[in-house]
Amino acid sequence: IGTQLYTLEDVGVSKVAALRTKLYAATGVELNTFAQKLSAENQNKVFRKIDFVFDTFDNIPSRQLVATYCREQKIPCLHLGLDAATGEVCWNEKYQLPQNWQPPAAGACDIPLARNIVLWTALVGLQTCFQFWEKQQQKNYFLDLSTLTISEY
């Protein structure tokens, strides 16, 4: 899978478990993960004892739940999103859910150069997290693969 981090050794393992293992191997950080669909009924359980949310959901209903919950609970939340050749890294305070958004016909991960925008957005997102944790800065970015630009807003 071109835009995913999974290998043959991950066959038969849930994406959540495989990613948790890879992140632990790379960083030594133990993550609390949940391999279940987020809903209004389980959000309190999922977000119990959470200090920070890194939102990469690929669907609007889950993004809405995350954004609303984090605003109400005053939990720092960084949203990462993609659309064809653009990426967004945005803190909850400025985040607006896409209106009238339609997924690309081919699927976001099947678009040529999708891996490039996925990795670029992920790297900017991680750097944004580091800035927050080290300096308490909350910067928002828009990435455009067609012009190779990153704009702060």
Side-chain angles (χ1 to χ4, degrees), residues 84-122:
T86 63
E88 181 180 34
V89 176
C90 183
W91 290 97
N92 212 30
E93 290 75 12
K94 285 195 174 184
Y95 182 68
Q96 295 181 8
L97 287 160
Q99 301 298 315
N100 303 318
W101 181 84
Q102 295 293 320
C109 295
D110 296 326
I111 295 171
L113 301 177
R115 183 178 182 91
N116 295 344
I117 193 66
V118 168
L119 294 175
W120 193 23
T121 303

Side-chain angles (χ1 to χ4, degrees), residues 24-65:
Y24 180 77
T27 65
V29 174
E30 188 72 40
L31 299 174
N32 294 328
T33 59
F34 300 90
Q36 56 187 296
K37 184 175 181 173
L38 182 64
S39 68
E41 291 76 31
N42 71 5
Q43 70 180 359
N44 288 331
K45 177 183 175 187
V46 170
F47 291 128
R48 184 181 63 239
K49 298 181 183 178
I50 295 291
D51 298 318
F52 182 86
V53 174
F54 193 82
D55 170 29
T56 60
F57 275 108
D58 62 356
N59 67 79
I60 301 302
S62 295
R63 284 183 171 270
Q64 178 68 57
L65 285 170

